[in-house]
């Protein structure tokens, strides 16, 4: 007995209306239900795309904020530099009392103290000079006609002019190669005493290292200095002679000092 079996299989072929639906129209399960390798890849692709977009957003924001960040950094650096400079040059103060009791020392020349040259200038020694003093003010000169010989002037004081209680009542300044002092109402000590215990030193450093040291002094530094009081001649200055007295005042009353040694007593 022979069985007739359809050529397509046990069941007959489905009609056209039974064709499978298009995959594009199938319902998509929620993301949390995805499973298997395809679902995982799909999520990773979304995360990767999101990360790229986020990175682009951050990068765009960073580029747009860069000028503001640079400005803030520049302002912070300038403020820090100014603070460091102000701290370095701020005047030094002390408790009331005389800090330097000794008077300046001036002694005669020896046979070995001959005239000598420094740069374009001729120096003639007048006396040996040494003092301990408090720096009242420092002035660096770069462009006046004497700067090639005398780059730094120091206003210094000793005795009562090293006393903080006295100096707190005086305003001290330097300009045009002069040393100035002012007070309100009444002076803390007599003007004669001020003149006898303070002076303006025109410094001729004997080396570059001493020049740098003179320029770095702060108001309030206590120093020891020694060298020669001199008479200088040369281009643009004519003849410039040091004072040999500690009690004179006015034009010509300053000391012109060839500096051989200078160091701090305290800071």
């Amino acid at each position: 007995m022979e069985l007739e079996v359809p050529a397509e299989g046990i069941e007959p072929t489905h009609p056209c209306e039974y064709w499978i639906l298009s995959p594009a129209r199938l319902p998509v399960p929620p993301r949390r239900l995805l499973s298997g390798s395809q679902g995982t890849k799909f999520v990773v692709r979304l995360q990767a795309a999101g990360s790229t977009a986020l990175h682009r957003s951050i990068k765009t924001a960073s580029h747009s904020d860069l000028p503001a960040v640079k400005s803030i950094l520049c302002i912070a650096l300038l403020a820090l530099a100014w603070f460091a400079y102000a701290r370095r040059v701020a005047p030094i103060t002390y408790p009331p009392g005389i800090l330097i009791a000794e008077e300046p020392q001036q002694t005669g020349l020896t046979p070995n103290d001959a005239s000598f040259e420094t740069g374009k200038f001729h120096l003639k020694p007048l006396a040996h000079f040494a003092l301990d003093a408090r720096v009242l003010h420092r002035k660096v000169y770069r462009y006046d006609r004497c700067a090639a010989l005398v780059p730094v002037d120091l206003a210094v004081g000793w005795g009562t002019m090293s006393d903080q209680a006295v100096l707190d009542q005086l305003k001290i300044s330097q300009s045009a190669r002069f040393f100035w002092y002012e007070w309100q109402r009444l002076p803390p000590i007599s003007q004669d005493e001020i003149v006898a215990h303070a002076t303006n030193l025109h410094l001729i450093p004997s080396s570059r290292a001493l020049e740098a040291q003179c320029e770095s002094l702060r108001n309030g530094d206590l120093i020891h200095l020694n060298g020669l009081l001199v008479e200088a001649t040369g281009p643009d200055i004519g003849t410039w002679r040091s004072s040999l007295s500690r009690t004179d005042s006015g034009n010509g009353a300053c000391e012109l000092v060839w500096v051989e040694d200078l160091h701090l007593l305290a800071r």
Side-chain angles (χ1 to χ4, degrees), residues 117-234:
E117 310 291 325
T118 178
K120 302 178 291 183
F121 304 96
H122 178 80
L123 301 184
K124 176 185 175 182
L126 302 175
H128 287 271
F129 182 70
L131 88 164
D132 292 344
R134 175 175 176 162
V135 176
L136 306 179
H137 201 275
R138 171 184 53 81
K139 178 71 173 178
V140 176
Y141 292 92
R142 301 291 188 197
Y143 306 110
D144 73 355
R145 61 188 178 86
C146 305
L149 178 66
V150 180
V152 184
D153 280 6
L154 279 187
V156 298
W158 56 91
T160 51
M161 285 296 287
S162 67
D163 186 347
Q164 189 70 51
V166 172
L167 298 176
D168 284 343
Q169 301 178 63
L170 294 173
K171 179 182 178 183
I172 294 173
S173 60
Q174 289 171 290
S175 63
R177 296 291 177 174
F178 284 91
F179 151 47
W180 311 93
Y181 48 89
E182 305 171 65
W183 59 81
Q184 297 288 336
R185 299 179 183 175
L186 296 174
I189 56 178
S190 70
Q191 189 168 358
D192 288 343
E193 193 170 1
I194 293 174
V195 170
H197 292 90
T199 192
N200 191 42
L201 304 176
H202 303 308
L203 301 184
I204 309 172
S206 59
S207 69
R208 292 291 185 184
L210 275 173
E211 180 177 346
Q213 189 175 3
C214 293
E215 292 181 358
S216 69
L217 291 173
R218 292 167 59 183
N219 297 353
D221 274 334
L222 305 181
I223 63 168
H224 173 80
L225 176 150
N226 68 62
L228 295 168
L229 300 179
V230 298
E231 177 183 277
T233 55

Side-chain angles (χ1 to χ4, degrees), residues 47-88:
Q47 289 177 343
S51 298
T52 302
L54 180 61
H55 176 69
R56 287 176 181 171
S57 300
I58 294 173
K59 190 173 181 181
T60 303
S62 298
H63 280 297
S64 63
D65 292 341
L66 193 57
V69 172
K70 285 183 176 180
S71 298
I72 292 171
L73 285 176
C74 287
I75 293 171
L77 288 174
L78 287 173
L80 185 62
W82 173 252
F83 176 78
Y85 173 78
R87 184 181 178 86
R88 185 172 66 85

